Amino acid sequence: MITEYNSFRKYRDLKGKLERLFRSKINLMLNRIKVDAIRFSHPYFVTEKASIRHNIDHSGLGQSSPVNIGMLNLEKIDLEVLWDQLKLVHDKFNLFNVTFNSVFKNISALEQYYSNPEKQMSNMRCSIPWKTSTILANGDVIINNRCFLYKCGNMHDNNFKEIWKGEKYRIFRKQLKQNKFFPPCSRCCGAVPRVSKI
């Protein structure tokens, strides 16, 4: 995960170190353990402001709370260093299946992601409630463990098909279709556009 701890200006010399590592140890390691893919992730986070807005505007669709914001100081991330690191990783790993949860076409988009977290990054729509579901240990079925808590049913009371096609899921899907996203969704990887080149 990319955080302020690994994108400080003091790590500008990381570029040379990474280049040497990529050419030697990492290439050997990847070949030896037969790695199929490597994924780099920008942090998913929900600010207090986004949570409050969701809880006021969409109170019937589960309660939101701040996520990952306590462990992340967005103001300390040096975005120029981070941008250089992202380009380096993208260029040096082009022989392997390297993916990012979000790929930004320029530093301005990267700045928007980290500096204006309540603003949506695209006009894309979330498709998660039509594709996936999460079943918790107690049997509760929720849309996704990254989304705010919205209980659609419980496996001890109904089978999965009944819950999947049930009223709670239908209400959530209808509201999401009308809104495209909810306030806590602004930094979910499903809400950030992907581009093929940095």
Side-chain angles (χ1 to χ4, degrees):
M1 177 175 298
I2 298 164
T3 71
E4 74 268 21
Y5 301 111
N6 56 18
S7 62
F8 286 129
R9 208 169 271 288
K10 69 181 180 178
Y11 292 117
R12 276 220 183 263
D13 65 335
L14 181 66
K15 182 174 181 179
K17 291 177 183 175
L18 283 175
E19 286 176 348
R20 288 189 296 279
L21 274 175
F22 290 161
R23 281 194 300 265
S24 58
K25 293 181 181 180
I26 291 185
N27 286 338
L28 288 171
M29 180 194 68
L30 293 176
N31 289 324
R32 187 179 318 129
I33 62 174
K34 298 185 179 10
V35 170
D36 293 326
I38 298 172
R39 183 170 183 84
F40 291 91
S41 296
H42 291 275
Y44 164 76
F45 53 91
V46 177
T47 63
E48 186 173 357
K49 186 176 175 182
S51 291
I52 291 169
R53 202 169 102 223
H54 174 82
N55 293 338
I56 291 170
D57 296 345
H58 307 284
S59 60
L61 295 174
Q63 291 294 299
S64 173
S65 58
V67 175
N68 288 340
I69 246 0
M71 62 182 253
L72 189 66
N73 187 340
L74 301 175
E75 294 172 2
K76 287 189 175 181
I77 296 175
D78 186 321
L79 296 172
E80 289 179 19
V81 171
L82 179 56
W83 179 249
D84 288 344
Q85 291 173 355
L86 290 171
K87 287 193 302 186
L88 173 68
V89 169
H90 185 271
D91 294 343
K92 291 297 175 183
F93 270 124
N94 60 5
L95 298 178
F96 297 99
N97 185 10
V98 174
T99 60
F100 297 80
N101 70 331
S102 305
V103 180
F104 304 102
K105 61 183 176 183
N106 54 45
I107 194 168
S108 297
L110 184 70
E111 287 171 351
Q112 180 179 327
Y113 185 89
Y114 285 98
S115 302
N116 195 1
E118 283 82 30
K119 186 174 182 348
Q120 290 293 337
M121 294 290 292
S122 75
N123 288 323
M124 296 168 52
R125 291 182 179 269
C126 175
S127 61
I128 287 189
W130 287 272
K131 293 181 177 180
T132 186
S133 190
T134 299
I135 302 171
L136 302 179
N138 66 357
D140 283 349
V141 177
I142 61 174
I143 303 295
N144 188 300
N145 61 350
R146 281 189 151 186
C147 299
F148 37 88
L149 185 59
Y150 178 73
K151 181 179 167 184
C152 297
N154 187 287
M155 295 294 291
H156 298 292
D157 302 326
N158 300 94
N159 67 47
F160 183 76
K161 186 176 180 180
E162 291 170 332
I163 296 169
W164 182 257
K165 294 183 174 216
E167 182 181 6
K168 289 265 205 161
Y169 250 106
R170 284 196 314 270
I171 289 168
F172 189 90
R173 289 176 181 133
K174 181 180 178 182
Q175 289 295 312
L176 184 58
K177 197 172 182 180
Q178 290 173 353
N179 291 282
K180 292 186 181 178
F181 292 104
F182 298 114
C185 304
S186 69
R187 290 302 170 266
C188 176
C189 58
V192 179
R194 298 164 192 241
V195 295
S196 58
K197 294 268 186 193
I198 291 183

